[in-house]
Amino acid sequence: MPGKSAAKSAARNTDSASSKVEAVDDQATAKAVQTGRLVEAMPFNPNKAGEHGFENGLSPEPGASVEAESRLPTGSTLSEINHSEKTGSVATEGVNWTIESLDRARVDSSGQMLTTNQGVHVADNQNSLKYGVRGPVLLEDFILREKLTHFDHERIPERIVHARGSAAHGYFECYEPLTDITKASLFKEAGKVTPVFVRFSTVQGERGSKDTARDVRGFAVKFYTDEGNWDLVGNNMPVFFIQDAMKFPDLVHAVKPEPHHQMPQAASAHDTFWDFASLMPESTHMLMWAMSDRGIPRSYATMQGFGVHTFRMVNGAGDSVFVKFHWNPIYGTHSLVWDEAVKISGADPDYHRRDLWERIESGAFPEWELGLQVFTEEQADEFSFDILDATKLIPEELVPVRPVGRMVLNRNPDNFFAETEQVAFCTAHIVPGLDFSNDPLLAGRIHSYVDTQITRLGGPNFHEIPINSPIAPVHNNQRDGMHRQAIHRGRANYEPNSLGGGCPFQAGAEQGFVSVPARIQAKEEQGKVRAKPEKFADHYTQATLFFESQSAVEQAHIAAAFRFELSKVTIPAIRARMLSSLRNASEALAAKVAEGLGIATMPPAMPRALENPAKPEVTKSPTLSLLARPGDGSIKARKVAILVADGIDGQSAMAIHAALFAQGAVPRFVAPRIGPVWTSDNVAIDADASLENEPGFLFDALVLPDGDEGAEALARDGHTMEFIRDQYRHCKAIMALPASVNLLEAAGVALTLPSGEEDPGIVAGDNVDAFVKAIGRHRHPERETDPPVI
């Protein structure tokens, strides 16, 4: 029957699936159906509300788990039924044991409680051990240290995250003395210059992955101060997915390529990431940022940077204040659109690396202004959110950003390996005048970065050497690294999960290890505990703030990004779960995403961990929109394509090229083929790019030439139409000289917007000033439609 064959075919896809899988007599379909039912049995994380507060921290509950109806959904592959002398048979259920074939190394954690590598049951896998719910993380937390230490050494030889990076040398110049808040030497006097080395990176992908993936970008600055090195290791987004370092290995495991087939590379549009994210509602705010245009920046030079965490500054008297760090690019904060990013990744996967190198080589040095949000502990106590929570930002309306200096990158490295690849950043590298807060995510980073750098060729799997192995079973989500012997069955190597029935799950207080909540002084209310402060349970208020602060175009991009990413998820129940979470952030967004996924009936909103969060001080913050950060309006380093062909008017093309170059842009003559172009007025033009080797989506703007014969020649080349359509679809500025207006018509491009109004991004004629102004806007989203009309 056609219906049966369609179901069988759908069950064999690994990157997308229909909204419903029907059962047929077929192993692949049965696996898909049973996996769907297993995920549906866990519509949300029932333990989430119990993670907050001191009393809950004393007696953690066992983790949620669901028993699978067969072994099909918890396996890595249907082909495990095929045996050989080397592969052996299927892993014994719930057993990690040793025999002569590879069965000796297979591990199945179905129905098993989470343990350490020494076989000790883990009661709480959500929180690090702290002195009080807001106190410092304690070094005695052997569970955290074992988990992070193992995680830090899982990848060799590249970095576990931020593997793909680009870097440059430069300097930081202080505007004025900041001795009232810090004694750090680089802030002691006006004009003080400090050398820096800055590395930008993507997070998910491997060293050979593409630059333009939707991802968080690392923004790490090493200050070579005269009192030692200070590393400000941040991102291009001010918040993060998780609140506690205990969850960092789970987050990265979930977002990396799926372990059973190592797909997809450098992308979050797959089951395991959204399974995890939909069970971790505290990630909602960061998801808004990642799904926004911030997730696909135009260049490293046009993206913001943030320290993410709350830090302290300490002055000479020993008085301290809290501070958050902001890097604001003088060229504005700009992005790519998704279609543009996808096409660029195919034409030039090194797009951002190339842009950074070329800007510096050409003298258009990238520059940022460092700003501080400074506030006291008393002010922090009055906020409706907790400043130790890395999933929250401080709206600039509450604490303005104070400019304190500028950073300029003016020299490329001499050797990529010796400098960019070998540089080691660490949040623990600070200088006098700076200090940490009790942010639990920051505490884990302080340990983790040092541990990673001890040796990127380290061997964390010494516990699997027979003489070292415990006789108690070992079941956890630690994977990979040198000398790994275990071959873990299944695709879920993170917790919480529903794809593995929640296994292995935390043991809880009755059977797992629990630290004694000892107090340093008997009169103190709280002692060591694994828990989060109650305000950490507000997972949605700032996600709503971010979404509501975006322009209509940016909101549409967020919805489209969720639509694309979730369309790649093969388990319908994961899509539904994520929608139920989004409803708590924005009903309008959830409805738009549901419509794009063909989901007619919205799932009920996910239960909130905190039913009645505090009323926010700010409900809309214009500074969170990219439209609030246009930059200085210049067109420096903008790449402009001037299409040319035999028979064009050379004088007008050269005049426009000269005018754009004088403004700091990078105009290029692009022809059907490189080399000399024979113009109608005998002006010498040499094309240094072709329509084939430099597609339109690589440029920030387009000029179509004058001259009837040249315009006709371009019209006969199909690449020209693709060039124009991509520029138009990506909302770029286009100048069409008189003879080329017909090219716009042939490409289906109108001089007016879909509304009938004049398109401000299309200049018909030779008004260079108007064209420069249009380029300075970076993009003209008013012409954007979903789906695109061209």
Side-chain angles (χ1 to χ4, degrees):
M1 292 178 61
K4 287 188 175 182
S5 63
K8 291 179 180 179
S9 177
R12 285 158 173 76
N13 292 323
T14 59
D15 69 342
S16 183
S18 60
S19 59
K20 184 179 180 181
V21 180
E22 297 181 1
V24 297
D25 185 17
D26 175 74
Q27 284 285 87
T29 310
K31 178 182 174 76
V33 170
Q34 291 183 28
T35 300
R37 286 199 285 258
L38 187 64
V39 174
E40 287 172 355
M42 196 180 293
F44 60 92
N45 186 346
N47 283 27
K48 186 55 64 175
E51 295 175 11
H52 306 85
F54 187 74
E55 295 303 321
N56 285 334
L58 296 179
S59 301
E61 294 294 323
S65 64
V66 179
E67 185 176 355
E69 54 193 281
S70 79
R71 301 197 72 196
L72 279 174
T74 58
S76 301
T77 168
L78 290 173
S79 62
E80 67 181 357
I81 61 174
N82 300 321
H83 304 163
S84 74
E85 291 184 3
K86 183 65 175 176
T87 63
S89 58
V90 180
T92 305
E93 186 169 3
V95 173
N96 176 359
W97 65 326
T98 301
I99 57 174
E100 292 183 359
S101 72
L102 285 182
D103 283 350
R104 65 182 290 275
R106 289 195 173 94
V107 178
D108 187 345
S109 295
S110 300
Q112 302 301 303
M113 290 179 288
L114 198 69
T115 71
T116 68
N117 281 329
Q118 304 305 316
V120 178
H121 287 149
V122 178
D124 185 337
N125 190 44
Q126 312 306 316
N127 302 287
S128 49
L129 185 65
K130 301 183 282 290
Y131 185 75
V133 296
R134 300 189 67 249
V137 175
L138 301 177
L139 186 62
E140 75 178 69
D141 190 353
F142 64 90
I143 296 176
L144 172 67
R145 286 190 289 109
E146 180 197 87
K147 186 174 181 180
L148 286 180
T149 297
H150 190 284
F151 174 72
D152 294 341
H153 296 286
E154 284 184 356
R155 293 288 183 273
I156 52 130
E158 67 181 25
R159 293 166 173 86
I160 299 169
V161 289
H162 299 276
R164 178 171 180 81
S166 302
H169 294 276
Y171 63 88
F172 172 79
E173 180 181 9
C174 184
Y175 286 163
E176 60 184 347
L178 301 180
T179 50
D180 57 325
I181 58 174
T182 180
K183 61 182 180 181
S185 65
L186 74 163
F187 297 119
K188 277 188 176 179
E189 59 187 269
K192 175 80 172 180
V193 173
T194 301
V196 298
F197 190 67
V198 183
R199 185 177 186 269
F200 306 100
S201 56
T202 53
V203 174
Q204 304 171 47
E206 297 170 355
R207 283 193 306 179
S209 58
K210 61 189 179 184
D211 277 349
T212 56
R214 180 178 294 281
D215 199 357
V216 186
R217 267 44 179 205
F219 195 126
V221 182
K222 183 181 289 291
F223 296 84
Y224 298 94
T225 84
D226 48 21
E227 291 183 329
N229 286 358
W230 170 38
D231 291 350
L232 182 54
V233 193
N235 291 327
N236 73 324
M237 301 179 189
V239 291
F240 204 63
F241 293 95
I242 53 175
Q243 299 169 319
D244 194 298
M246 185 65 84
K247 303 310 299 173
F248 192 65
D250 295 304
L251 166 67
V252 177
H253 280 165
V255 78
K256 283 281 190 176
E258 297 197 4
H260 60 312
H261 57 36
Q262 278 294 290
M263 296 182 286
Q265 173 61 240
S268 56
H270 56 98
D271 291 6
T272 54
F273 173 71
W274 289 100
D275 181 33
F276 177 81
S278 63
L279 291 168
M280 299 288 288
E282 60 265 52
S283 69
T284 311
H285 187 195
M286 182 60 171
L287 289 173
M288 293 292 183
W289 283 80
M291 295 299 108
S292 77
D293 294 343
R294 307 275 187 150
I296 41 176
R298 161 62 179 82
S299 66
Y300 292 135
T302 56
M303 74 179 190
Q304 287 180 282
F306 302 91
V308 180
H309 306 286
T310 298
F311 292 83
R312 288 184 183 271
M313 280 188 160
V314 186
N315 65 18
D319 301 319
S320 73
V321 290
F322 285 131
V323 63
K324 280 184 173 286
F325 297 100
H326 297 243
W327 293 109
N328 291 309
I330 65 161
Y331 293 137
T333 307
H334 301 298
S335 66
L336 302 172
V337 293
W338 178 242
D339 185 67
E340 184 182 21
V342 171
K343 290 176 175 175
I344 289 173
S345 70
D348 187 2
D350 303 305
Y351 187 65
H352 288 156
R353 177 174 291 177
R354 192 182 314 281
D355 180 89
L356 179 65
W357 181 276
E358 289 180 350
R359 284 174 185 263
I360 295 174
E361 290 296 290
S362 67
F365 301 142
E367 182 175 339
W368 291 261
E369 191 171 64
L370 177 62
L372 308 180
Q373 282 182 301
V374 180
F375 53 101
T376 65
E377 196 156 1
E378 291 74 21
Q379 286 176 287
D381 289 340
E382 296 300 316
F383 295 155
S384 63
F385 50 90
D386 199 312
I387 54 95
L388 302 183
D389 182 354
T391 68
K392 308 294 195 300
L393 57 78
I394 301 177
E396 294 182 29
E397 290 79 0
L398 284 182
V399 181
V401 176
R402 173 185 175 184
V404 299
R406 70 184 187 118
M407 179 174 71
V408 178
L409 300 184
N410 61 1
R411 177 170 177 167
N412 282 313
D414 291 300
N415 183 277
F416 184 91
F417 178 81
E419 296 167 88
T420 303
E421 189 59 24
Q422 291 197 129
V423 66
F425 294 89
C426 178
T427 51
H429 295 165
I430 59 171
V431 294
L434 301 168
D435 206 345
F436 308 113
S437 70
N438 286 340
D439 181 333
L441 181 61
L442 174 59
R445 293 181 72 198
I446 292 169
H447 162 78
S448 188
Y449 282 60
V450 175
D451 189 50
T452 304
Q453 293 161 15
I454 291 172
T455 168
R456 284 168 65 187
L457 299 174
N461 292 314
F462 59 88
H463 62 277
E464 291 191 343
I465 299 172
I467 194 63
N468 293 327
S469 61
I471 59 173
V474 172
H475 294 286
N476 53 47
N477 293 314
Q478 296 172 16
R479 297 288 189 269
D480 307 338
M482 290 183 66
H483 312 305
R484 168 59 81 180
Q485 299 177 50
I487 301 175
H488 292 88
R489 181 177 182 272
R491 67 193 290 194
N493 60 348
Y494 53 93
E495 186 276 335
N497 72 73
S498 61
L499 291 172
C503 302
F505 55 89
Q506 66 182 34
E510 290 296 318
Q511 300 184 69
F513 175 86
V514 178
S515 297
V516 176
R519 296 162 174 78
I520 294 178
Q521 296 180 15
K523 67 179 181 180
E524 293 181 340
E525 177 186 354
Q526 299 182 350
K528 293 179 294 185
V529 66
R530 294 181 185 273
K532 299 183 181 77
E534 284 78 1
K535 283 184 180 179
F536 275 45
D538 179 7
H539 301 141
Y540 296 106
T541 296
Q542 291 208 346
T544 302
L545 167 66
F546 181 83
F547 185 73
E548 294 298 328
S549 300
Q550 304 301 295
S551 67
V553 169
E554 290 169 315
Q555 289 182 346
H557 288 180
I558 292 172
F562 274 110
R563 179 186 69 203
F564 171 80
E565 298 258 337
L566 293 177
S567 74
K568 287 288 192 177
V569 170
T570 64
I571 311 300
I574 294 179
R575 295 183 193 136
R577 189 195 299 144
M578 196 61 231
L579 279 176
S580 73
S581 180
L582 285 179
R583 291 191 67 178
N584 290 328
S586 169
E587 285 286 357
L589 173 61
K592 188 70 174 176
V593 175
E595 178 186 1
L597 294 172
I599 297 176
T601 304
M602 289 278 283
M606 183 177 289
R608 294 173 181 259
L610 184 64
E611 284 297 328
N612 298 301
K615 183 178 180 180
E617 299 89 343
V618 178
T619 57
K620 185 173 287 189
S621 177
T623 61
L624 296 179
S625 169
L626 288 177
L627 298 185
R629 304 183 181 279
D632 59 4
S634 74
I635 63 170
K636 289 181 179 179
R638 300 292 180 90
K639 293 187 176 181
V640 183
I642 303 175
L643 298 196
V644 294
D646 291 346
I648 68 155
D649 182 84
Q651 187 172 357
S652 61
M654 289 295 291
I656 291 172
H657 186 288
L660 294 175
F661 186 79
Q663 294 276 352
V666 185
R668 301 187 70 182
F669 289 120
V670 183
R673 39 101 181 110
I674 61 173
V677 174
W678 307 106
T679 65
S680 61
D681 51 357
N682 295 319
V683 174
I685 290 180
D686 198 65
D688 65 344
S690 73
L691 293 170
E692 179 182 46
N693 72 12
E694 292 286 330
F697 47 79
L698 294 177
F699 292 91
D700 295 298
L702 169 65
V703 176
L704 298 174
D706 209 356
D708 292 335
E709 185 180 344
E712 291 172 3
L714 289 171
R716 292 192 295 269
D717 191 324
H719 291 102
T720 302
M721 297 301 111
E722 294 176 6
F723 210 112
I724 295 172
R725 291 185 187 113
D726 280 334
Q727 286 282 305
Y728 182 82
R729 181 184 293 182
H730 300 158
C731 303
K732 303 293 184 60
I734 301 174
M735 169 184 274
L737 298 180
S740 290
V741 173
N742 289 338
L743 289 177
L744 295 180
E745 183 179 349
V749 171
L751 298 179
T752 57
L753 298 171
S755 65
E757 299 176 12
E758 182 180 348
D759 189 327
I762 296 181
V763 178
D766 58 357
N767 189 339
V768 176
D769 290 340
F771 186 50
V772 168
K773 183 178 180 181
I775 300 173
R777 282 190 55 190
H778 180 66
R779 205 178 298 282
H780 296 268
E782 51 267 70
R783 79 166 71 125
E784 187 172 85
T785 59
D786 186 12
V789 295
I790 294 177

